[in-house]
Amino acid sequence: MIPGGGQPNMQQLLQQAQKMQQDLARAQEELANTEVDGQAGGGLVQATVTGSGELRALRIDPKAVDPDDTETLADLVVAAVHAANENAQALQQAKLGPLAQGLGGGSGIPGLPF
């Protein structure tokens, strides 16, 4: 129910939606430009990904390289990338979470049921 029984101001609703869209685009751009790290093997392997999950760098300490045991190195690489992606997801949640709350389960825009 709209206070005063009037109709919602469509121009105001559109402005609010446009602002939310701009805020979301800005947050997504920040995520794409922010780098987060993950590591495995006590830091023997470190992976750097963007906040949006793009792998940017992989550092392998020479101590982690054993030509007779490449499986362990591969496992460390996978674990480091996985840890970096978990950190990227946490960053995404921190940056986009407040915006998503405004969009889901009640748009945050008065007068809209979604």
Side-chain angles (χ1 to χ4, degrees), residues 15 23-24 39 48 52 62-63 72-75 80 103-104 106 112:
Q15 287 173 348
D23 290 347
L24 182 59
Q39 62 177 339
T48 301
S52 57
K63 293 181 228 165
T72 297
L73 178 57
D75 289 344
L103 295 172
L112 292 183

Side-chain angles (χ1 to χ4, degrees), residues 44-111:
L44 290 175
V45 176
Q46 295 181 334
T48 301
V49 299
T50 64
S52 57
E54 177 187 344
L55 182 63
R56 287 279 175 92
L58 185 63
R59 291 171 298 288
I60 301 173
D61 187 306
K63 293 181 228 165
V65 180
D66 178 355
D68 296 324
D69 185 13
T70 57
E71 275 187 46
T72 297
L73 178 57
D75 289 344
L76 290 173
V77 169
V78 169
V81 171
H82 180 74
N85 278 323
E86 284 182 344
N87 292 336
Q89 287 177 347
L91 181 63
Q92 287 173 8
Q93 185 62 31
K95 288 250 184 227
L96 300 178
L99 294 172
Q101 288 173 358
L103 295 172
S107 66
I109 301 174

